[in-house]
Amino acid sequence: MNSHNLLLEEPIRMASILEPSKSTFFPAMTKIVGTLGPNSRTVDIISDCLKAGMSVARFDFSWGDSDYHQETLDNLRAAVKKTKKLCSVMLDTVGPELQVVNKTEQPISLQQDTTVVLTPDQGKEATSNLLPINFTGLAKAVKKGDTIFIGQYLFTGSETTSVWLEVTQVEGEDVVCLIKNSATLGGPLYTLHVSQIRIELPTLTDEDKKVISTWGAKNNIDVLSLSYTRHAEDVRHAREFLNKLGDLRQTQIFAKIENVEGLNHFDEILQEADGIILSRGNLGIDLPPEKVFLFQKAAVYKCNMAGKPAVVTRVVDSMTDNLRPTRAEATDVANAVLDGCDAILLGAETLRGMYPVETIATVGKICAEGEKVFNQDMYFKKTVKYVGEPMTHLESIASSAVRAAIKVKASVIICFTSSGRAARLLAKYRPPMPVISVVIPQLKTNQLRWTFTGAFEARQSLIVRGLFPLLADPRHPAESSNATNESILKVALDHGKAAGVVKSHDRVVVCQKIGDSSVVKILELED
C-alpha cells in the first residue's frame, strides 16, 4: 500500500511492470465480497477465503434454506475466531426473481428455431417444448417481439448453458417463444429475465420478509442486499421493515440495480440507500452490451461523490471453472478499481466455483495493482470541487486529514469514531494509504437492557475501500478532553505495526474528537 503512486498519465518504464509486488497484511484497499455456498462453506475453506482477502460474506437466499445458510454462517463465525479476521454478513434477498421450475432437475436441451411454451402451470413437467415458471402474470407483461433470457442461476454467460427467446404469441396465460440459440439448461436452478419489462411483483416479497425477520434478525445481519431495487420507495419500505426488527435498525441497505427501471431512478435510489450494487449480470441483459460500461462509470462516479460504497459484480466468470481469469476479465477488475469502486462481488466464482480461494486471491492482486496507478490527486481535486463550499464541519476535517496525510507521506491514517461516519468520510477522499478506523463502542439502553454499539459499525466499514476497522475497548470514550485516547492510539499503532503498514520513523495522521473540537494530528514515530 504505497503512498508514492505511479500514474498511468505519466511515462512508465515498461520493465517496472514486471517488478514483483510487495506482500502486505491488507491484500488490497478494494474489498472483496464472497458468496458462500456448496464449494465454500467449510470452516477451513472459509478461513482460507478470509486470509486471501474476503471481508464480506454474502448469503444468497435465491437457493438453499435457512438451516443450510445457518450452518454456513456458524462455520464463518468459527473461521473468524480461527483467523482473527473480521467479516461482515450480507443477506441477499430473492426479490421479484422469475424462475423456471424443473422438478426432475434433469438437463433440458433446447433447439434453435423451434418453439417453447412458458406456462405458469407448475404442475407440468419441464421438457424441451414446455417450461413451467413461478409467475402467473408473464402473459400480461409481454408482447410479440419481446426478448426473454433464461440461464443457470449465477450463470457464466456461456451460450451453451443459456438461451435467448423471442415472444411470438400469447395464448391465455401461456407465452409461446421462438428459441434463438441451441442450449442445454443444466443445474438445480435457472432464472428468467424479460428485457426492459416491469414485473408486477413487490421488491421485498413476503418470503424475503420471512427470511429477514427470522434468519436475519437472529443473526444481526450487517448489510441487506435489496435485489431488483426499482425506486427509492423500495429502499424506504425495506428500511421501515428493518426498523421494526430491533437490532436490525442498524443494518445497512445496499440497493441492487439490475434493470432499466432502477437505472432510470438511480439518483433517488442513491439518496435513500447506504450503498449500491451494480448487478451487471441482469443489467447486461436489460441494457444493450455497448451501454453497460457507461452505466458502470456514471454510477460509480455518483456513488463516489455521495460518499457511498459502490460494489461491482460479474467480473471473473471464467474462474468458476478455471484457475486463471481471461485477459479481458483481469483488465475489467482493474478498470473497476480505476473507476473508483469500493468492492468487487464474487457470485458463482466462490459459490459453486472450483477455485474460491484462488479467485479471491487473484482478484485481490489485480485490485492492488490497479490501486498503485489510481490517480488520487485528480480524484481528490474532483471530489473537493464537487462538494463545493462551504463544506460541513466533518467534511472539512476529513478532506484536510487526507490532504495532510498525502503531503507528509503518512503511512496510515488513524481515525477514532463511534458511528463510523468520520471514517467513511475519510475513505470518500480515497487516501492512498490505509485508514485504520478505531471504533469506540458506546453504551446504550432502551430502558429494558443495556447494549454496547460498535460491532455493527466496525463490520459495516469492511465494504468501504481503504477502511480497516479495529474495535476498541469500550472502557475508553471516543471523545476525550485528556489523554485517555493515548492507550487506544497505542493499540492502533501496534495493530498497524503487526500489519506491516507502520514502522519506526513513519508519519501517521490521527483524526479524533477532543472535547467539542475535531483535531487532525501528525505524529512522527520514534524507534
Side-chain angles (χ1 to χ4, degrees), residues 33-43 45-50 54 56-61 63-64 68-69 71-77 79-80 87-90 153-154 215 345-353 356-357 360:
V33 182
T35 305
L36 300 187
N39 282 5
S40 54
R41 64 189 301 258
T42 65
V43 175
I45 294 287
I46 297 173
S47 298
D48 289 342
C49 287
L50 291 170
M54 179 180 80
V56 181
R58 174 173 171 256
F59 293 81
D60 192 338
F61 276 81
W63 63 276
Y68 181 90
H69 289 300
E71 191 180 314
T72 308
L73 179 54
D74 292 341
N75 288 346
L76 170 67
R77 286 174 174 154
V80 165
C87 188
S88 182
V89 172
M90 175 187 282
Y153 176 66
L154 290 177
W215 192 89
L345 190 153
L346 301 172
E349 304 97 322
T350 55
L351 175 100
R352 59 178 173 80
V357 178
I360 291 167

Side-chain angles (χ1 to χ4, degrees), residues 96 135 141 198-202 230:
F135 179 51
R198 179 179 173 83
I199 299 302
E200 293 298 335
L201 286 170
R230 296 170 283 192

Side-chain angles (χ1 to χ4, degrees), residues 163-211:
V163 67
W164 293 91
L165 309 175
E166 182 184 320
V167 177
T168 54
Q169 66 185 96
V170 174
E171 296 177 351
E173 290 191 325
D174 293 348
V175 177
V176 183
C177 301
L178 177 69
I179 299 169
K180 303 296 282 184
N181 65 285
S182 297
T184 299
L185 299 178
L189 176 65
Y190 7 96
T191 57
L192 179 152
H193 188 99
V194 190
S195 293
Q196 301 196 22
I197 296 293
R198 179 179 173 83
I199 299 302
E200 293 298 335
L201 286 170
T203 300
L204 198 63
T205 64
D206 289 341
E207 189 58 34
D208 290 331
K209 289 178 178 178
K210 182 182 168 188
V211 166

Side-chain angles (χ1 to χ4, degrees), residues 60 62 92-99 149 153 155 191-194 197-199 201-205 208 225-232 234-235 254-263 269 277 279 281-283 285-286:
D60 192 338
S62 289
D92 199 297
T93 64
V94 180
E97 183 172 270
L98 306 189
Q99 297 175 353
F149 176 90
Y153 176 66
F155 53 88
T191 57
L192 179 152
H193 188 99
V194 190
I197 296 293
R198 179 179 173 83
I199 299 302
L201 286 170
T203 300
L204 198 63
T205 64
D208 290 331
S225 165
L226 190 61
S227 295
Y228 296 95
T229 304
R230 296 170 283 192
H231 295 270
D234 294 339
V235 182
F254 276 51
K256 247 172 124 182
I257 308 299
E258 313 200 41
N259 53 31
V260 166
E261 202 170 353
L263 179 150
I269 291 169
I277 297 172
S279 185
N282 283 334
L283 266 172
I285 297 163
D286 234 27

Side-chain angles (χ1 to χ4, degrees), residues 28-33 53-56 90 252 254 270 274-278 296 299-313 315 333-345 363-364 367-368 371 374 379 423-431 435 460-468:
M29 305 274 260
T30 307
K31 304 302 177 65
I32 297 173
V33 182
M54 179 180 80
S55 63
V56 181
M90 175 187 282
Q252 291 188 339
F254 276 51
L270 179 60
D274 297 299
I276 296 287
I277 297 172
L278 309 177
Q296 174 178 318
V300 171
Y301 172 77
K302 284 173 180 281
C303 289
N304 289 166
M305 295 304 106
K308 294 185 178 183
V311 183
V312 173
T313 71
V315 287
V333 174
N335 276 328
V337 172
L338 295 175
D339 287 347
C341 82
D342 287 78
I344 300 290
L345 190 153
V363 169
C367 288
E371 289 154 13
F374 181 73
Y379 178 94
R424 285 195 299 274
L425 270 178
L426 284 166
K428 174 181 174 178
Y429 288 91
R430 292 283 185 264
V435 177
Q460 284 168 343
S461 64
L462 288 165
I463 203 166
V464 181
R465 180 158 155 181
L467 271 196
F468 299 91

